[in-house]
């Protein structure tokens, strides 16, 4: 089993199941400490190559994923991998798209969809999830 994220490190979200995931903004430098085993990049254009396994979900800034079924499938993979791997979620700023994906991940982990935004804002970042349509997307995610 891989060393997990430090649960007290900035950007690390503990899900109700105990899984730890890291959210971050790619506009900031890579945090110190271990690198991800797997990352999910939520961007409007393909991200630069990284030294770890990653997947890209086309997701324009302030919008929703371009391919919602593909996003849901990849999110489920990330959730399963977070049980034993260091999993990172990232967009440019680390709030809107990353916060939305983390809220959907929380729904997968058992947080009621109507409470997922509040959960992520309390445990990850107060500015997570930026638009009304991102909030609506989370309440409809299953």
């Amino acid at each position: 089993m891989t060393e997990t994220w430090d649960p007290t490190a900035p950007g690390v979200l503990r899900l109700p199941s105990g899984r730890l995931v890291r959210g971050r903004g790619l506009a900031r430098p890579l945090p110190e400490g271990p690198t991800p085993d797997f990352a999910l990049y939520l961007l409007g254009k393909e991200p630069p190559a990284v030294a770890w396994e990653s997947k890209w979900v086309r997701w324009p800034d302030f919008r929703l994923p371009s391919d919602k079924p593909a996003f849901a499938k990849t999110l489920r993979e990330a959730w399963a991998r977070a049980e034993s791997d260091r999993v990172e979620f990232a967009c440019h700023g680390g709030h809107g798209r990353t916060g939305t994906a983390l809220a959907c991940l929380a729904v997968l982990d058992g947080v009621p969809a109507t409470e997922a935004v509040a959960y992520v804002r309390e445990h990850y970042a107060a500015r997570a999830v930026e638009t009304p349509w991102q909030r609506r997307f989370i309440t409809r995610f299953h």
Side-chain angles (χ1 to χ4, degrees):
M1 185 167 155
T2 319
E3 173 191 352
T4 63
W5 296 120
D6 173 355
T8 64
V12 174
L13 171 68
R14 180 184 297 276
L15 294 165
S17 65
R19 288 172 170 91
L20 298 173
V21 295
R22 180 171 76 186
R24 75 179 181 102
L26 295 172
R28 292 183 290 285
L30 184 68
E32 291 188 23
T35 58
D37 297 312
F38 177 76
L40 183 54
Y41 296 116
L42 315 160
L43 299 165
K45 62 180 183 175
E46 191 168 357
V50 291
W52 46 86
E53 187 179 350
S54 67
K55 290 197 175 177
W56 166 49
V57 170
R58 184 181 300 277
W59 191 333
D61 202 7
F62 297 106
R63 309 297 256 164
L64 297 173
S66 297
D67 184 339
K68 293 171 187 64
F71 164 71
K73 181 180 178 187
T74 305
L75 188 73
R76 283 178 171 76
E77 176 187 352
W79 178 80
R81 292 188 67 161
E83 191 169 18
S84 60
D85 293 340
R86 286 185 306 273
V87 175
E88 172 179 86
F89 290 78
C91 63
H92 182 73
H95 293 105
R97 294 167 284 183
T98 297
T100 301
L102 291 175
C104 290
L105 193 71
V107 170
L108 285 181
D109 204 66
V111 174
T114 56
E115 298 171 20
V117 172
Y119 183 88
V120 170
R121 286 180 174 171
E122 179 181 348
H123 299 285
Y124 167 66
R127 293 177 36 216
V129 188
E130 295 175 318
T131 69
W133 42 92
Q134 289 172 341
R135 285 192 293 280
R136 187 171 46 251
F137 179 71
I138 295 159
T139 62
R140 295 175 179 171
F141 186 81
H142 56 286

